């Protein structure tokens, strides 16, 4: 069938910078298709691929592309500034990761020692 795998979802969650006590709350509508979640929050496009033991996330804004790969053993992030095509690689230390109907990941950016929690849950909507 055409389009049978595409599910419109409601997304709830948060990205919390524990170190600096900042929160970004998610309450968006998105599309879920074959383990891929897409949505837009504050003009930033999120594309997230959920695998059994890995999360691949790409955040794209007007001026940058920020990609993350989270898995139980290691993680990394790449930040690209579009104007200069300048790339920054960042090491990430995974503290906890859960992948289910969405995901939860607690991680530290090694270069800055900032600790984060990122949680997203999905539910179908008609």
């Amino acid at each position: 069938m055409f389009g049978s795998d595409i599910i419109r979802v409601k997304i709830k969650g948060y990205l919390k910078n524990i170190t600096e006590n900042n929160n970004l709350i998610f309450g968006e509508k998105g599309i879920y298709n074959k383990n891929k979640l897409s949505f837009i929050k504050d003009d930033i496009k999120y594309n997230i691929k959920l695998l059994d033991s890995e999360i691949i996330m790409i955040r794209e804004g007007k001026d940058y592309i920020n990609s993350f790969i989270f898995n139980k053993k290691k993680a990394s992030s790449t930040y690209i500034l579009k104007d200069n095509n300048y790339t920054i690689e960042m090491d990430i230390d995974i503290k906890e990761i859960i992948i289910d109907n969405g995901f939860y990941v607690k991680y530290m950016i090694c270069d800055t020692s900032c600790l984060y929690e990122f949680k997203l849950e999905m539910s179908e909507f008609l």
Side-chain angles (χ1 to χ4, degrees), residues 10-101:
K10 183 162 181 128
I11 299 161
K12 287 177 39 177
Y14 62 88
L15 173 60
K16 179 190 278 187
N17 181 330
I18 297 169
T19 306
E20 297 177 0
N21 197 26
N22 295 328
N23 288 319
L24 177 62
I25 305 296
F26 295 96
E28 320 313 315
K29 294 177 182 174
I31 296 173
Y32 186 71
N33 182 17
K34 297 181 182 177
N35 297 332
K36 294 179 186 175
L37 174 64
S38 300
F39 65 95
I40 296 174
K41 167 75 173 172
D42 297 335
D43 294 326
I44 298 172
K45 184 177 179 182
Y46 290 77
N47 287 303
I48 301 169
K49 187 172 186 177
L50 299 172
L51 304 170
D52 289 337
S53 62
E54 187 170 71
I55 302 164
I56 300 169
M57 178 174 64
I58 299 172
R59 299 174 56 229
E60 184 169 356
K62 185 179 87 170
D63 301 325
Y64 68 90
I65 300 171
N66 186 206
S67 63
F68 290 87
I69 299 174
F70 300 108
N71 67 43
K72 293 182 182 191
K73 295 182 181 179
K74 64 177 186 166
S76 63
S77 176
T78 303
Y79 196 92
I80 300 170
L81 296 173
K82 290 181 179 179
D83 286 347
N84 312 36
N85 200 23
Y86 185 72
T87 302
I88 301 169
E89 300 282 335
M90 294 178 278
D91 290 326
I92 297 175
D93 182 21
I94 295 292
K95 303 295 184 187
E96 185 177 358
I97 186 169
I98 301 169
I99 302 170
D100 197 2
N101 188 28

